Amino acid sequence: FFLGASLLVLLSVTASKISDKFAVPALLFFILIGMLAGSEGLAGIHFDDLAFAKDFGIIALAVIVFTGGIDTNFKDVRSVMGPGILLSTAGILLTTLLVGVFALFVLKFSLLEGLLLGAIVSSTDAAAVFCVLRTRRVSLKGSLRPLLEFESGSNDPMALFLTIILIRLLQHTIALQDVFPIFIFEMGMGAFIGWLMARGSLLLIHWLKIESPGLYPALTLSLLILTYSMTELMHGNGILAAYVMGLVMGREEFLHKKAVKQFYEGLAWLVQIAMFLILGLMVVPSHIPGMLPLGLAVAAFLILVARPLSVLVSLLPFRMGMPKVLMISWVGLRGAAPIILATFPLLAALPNAGTIFDIVFIVVLVSILVQGGSVAFVSRLL
């Protein structure tokens, strides 16, 4: 197991060198390596542990959003908080609704199943966006870069909430009128606990004054997982709590902050590699050709219609020029979050869960390849 795992990670890291040359997110190579190692690939590794994939994925997501938060330059983000929050809430909701209606009429899903598919593919991927925007080939003016990075780092909690709520509606464990009160409670609890734990963590770090710098990453990681798990046990949104915690801690100076940030950058890459390898292992390549027409249809609608419309409507109060709206629309890369969320319906054993998973895989692949590979060109064009 350890031999195979280490070789897969080594191959993935090595393959990321290729992505630097072509401005294609390295995540694409991670998926392909996982597929090559999977049950129908060269290594023939059979992996179908959905519970492990979901549990690992949700902790991976907490690490990724915390890293995005602590890496955020609050001075740059301050001016784009308004449009960023609208994109990560109203934008996610609009994308979910548009894809849901498309799935209802084109894929012949039920409305709730269509909305579930929309929720799963609604959020953009912080890792993919950061990876592409920070290459030398992409140069964005003004507040575009911080806005895109803030949106991609903060929209996962909304997508997670909608996914779980829609699964519960499909299972008939809650009523429609319960959704809004649950939303207010979960988001409020997540934001409050995230802020509270960030302030408490900063006080603890300053009070302890540990002599060994190497213990600070371990300390903050334990506090992060404590924050996420405690929030979930209190029925709050743990992913939002992790992001708020990172955002608040990123604003303040604390002992060995630079070393902590470097640790989380490496850890975020490691969990992303692992998550995409797991996705590659879980995918059955022989299923893909049959699902390709549906997957490509959803990907095309998401990229060309749902994402641009949701961005346009969300940014109407801010009167941004059309080139900026188009650029923001195009940098809507899908990645780790949809993959993690796609395991939720599978674990809940919903009727169309397998179809949804295969469609999400194709959407992520197309988004990374088409949007990720052309961001530099589109930024120059606009």
Side-chain angles (χ1 to χ4, degrees):
F1 171 80
F2 288 114
L3 176 65
S6 59
L7 285 172
L8 288 175
V9 173
L10 180 61
L11 278 172
S12 301
V13 174
T14 307
S16 69
K17 183 67 178 177
I18 303 170
S19 75
D20 294 339
K21 294 183 179 180
F22 297 102
V24 176
L27 308 178
L28 176 66
F29 296 100
F30 304 159
I31 294 176
L32 295 176
I33 290 168
M35 289 176 67
L36 285 171
S39 57
E40 294 184 356
L42 299 175
I45 299 171
H46 181 74
F47 180 85
D48 60 359
D49 191 339
L50 293 174
F52 172 80
K54 179 191 171 185
D55 291 342
F56 178 84
I58 205 71
I59 291 298
L61 196 56
V63 168
I64 291 166
V65 298
F66 176 82
T67 305
I70 203 169
D71 273 343
T72 298
N73 187 326
F74 204 79
K75 291 179 182 177
D76 293 339
V77 167
R78 192 190 302 271
S79 62
V80 298
M81 287 286 279
I85 290 171
L86 270 180
L87 283 171
S88 59
T89 52
I92 292 294
L93 185 58
L94 283 169
T95 302
T96 299
L97 291 171
L98 288 167
V99 174
V101 172
F102 177 82
L104 173 67
F105 289 105
V106 178
L107 307 185
K108 306 303 179 185
F109 280 14
S110 70
L111 180 58
L112 283 178
E113 287 173 337
L115 290 172
L116 177 59
L117 173 63
I120 289 170
V121 299
S122 62
S123 69
T124 58
D125 184 67
V129 171
F130 282 29
C131 176
V132 171
L133 293 186
R134 293 176 182 181
T135 63
R136 295 176 183 178
R137 300 173 183 84
V138 180
S139 179
L140 299 178
K141 296 177 181 178
S143 59
L144 272 180
R145 184 190 298 271
L147 174 57
L148 285 163
E149 292 187 353
F150 177 75
E151 182 213 1
S152 65
S154 62
N155 58 17
D156 291 335
M158 185 67 172
L160 175 65
F161 170 80
L162 289 173
T163 300
I164 293 172
I165 281 293
L166 286 162
I167 289 173
R168 292 176 69 185
L169 286 170
L170 281 162
Q171 293 176 324
H172 305 291
T173 57
I174 60 167
L176 191 60
Q177 62 265 27
D178 298 329
V179 172
F180 186 68
I182 292 172
F183 172 78
I184 295 298
F185 180 83
E186 286 194 6
M187 293 299 184
M189 184 67 75
F192 175 70
I193 295 178
W195 175 83
L196 191 66
M197 286 298 292
R199 304 310 307 179
S201 299
L202 290 166
L203 287 172
L204 181 63
I205 289 169
H206 289 306
W207 177 72
L208 284 176
K209 293 181 181 177
I210 303 169
E211 292 184 8
S212 174
L215 284 174
Y216 283 87
L219 174 64
T220 54
L221 182 59
S222 65
L223 290 167
L224 167 61
I225 296 174
L226 176 65
T227 300
Y228 167 78
S229 54
M230 186 169 65
T231 307
E232 287 291 322
L233 286 171
M234 296 176 71
H235 304 288
N237 190 304
I239 296 300
L240 179 60
Y243 182 69
V244 170
M245 182 185 181
L247 205 58
V248 173
M249 291 184 70
R251 288 184 61 185
E252 307 291 338
E253 289 300 321
F254 56 87
L255 291 172
H256 303 293
K257 181 180 178 180
K258 185 178 179 181
V260 168
K261 288 176 69 174
Q262 288 175 338
F263 166 79
Y264 277 99
E265 183 182 358
L267 183 61
W269 271 112
L270 183 59
V271 295
Q272 286 166 85
I273 289 172
M275 201 59 234
F276 277 81
L277 288 174
I278 287 171
L279 169 70
L281 291 172
M282 287 175 66
V283 167
V284 181
S286 59
H287 290 180
I288 301 304
M291 295 302 301
L292 207 54
L294 295 181
L296 290 176
V298 173
F301 181 80
L302 178 66
I303 294 170
L304 300 175
V305 180
R307 169 71 177 174
L309 270 178
S310 64
V311 169
L312 180 64
V313 173
S314 299
L315 296 180
L316 278 177
F318 304 97
R319 297 180 181 179
M320 287 193 179
M322 191 52 67
K324 286 186 177 181
V325 171
L326 290 173
M327 190 69 229
I328 294 166
S329 301
W330 197 251
V331 190
L333 279 74
R334 269 61 191 174
I339 293 163
I340 295 163
L341 297 180
T343 63
F344 285 39
L346 285 171
L347 203 58
L350 296 182
N352 276 324
T355 302
I356 289 172
F357 184 87
D358 290 338
I359 290 173
V360 170
F361 171 77
I362 294 167
V363 167
V364 169
L365 211 58
V366 170
S367 177
I368 291 172
L369 189 60
V370 175
Q371 291 175 290
S374 61
V375 166
F377 169 74
V378 173
S379 69
R380 289 194 297 270
L381 190 66
L382 295 172

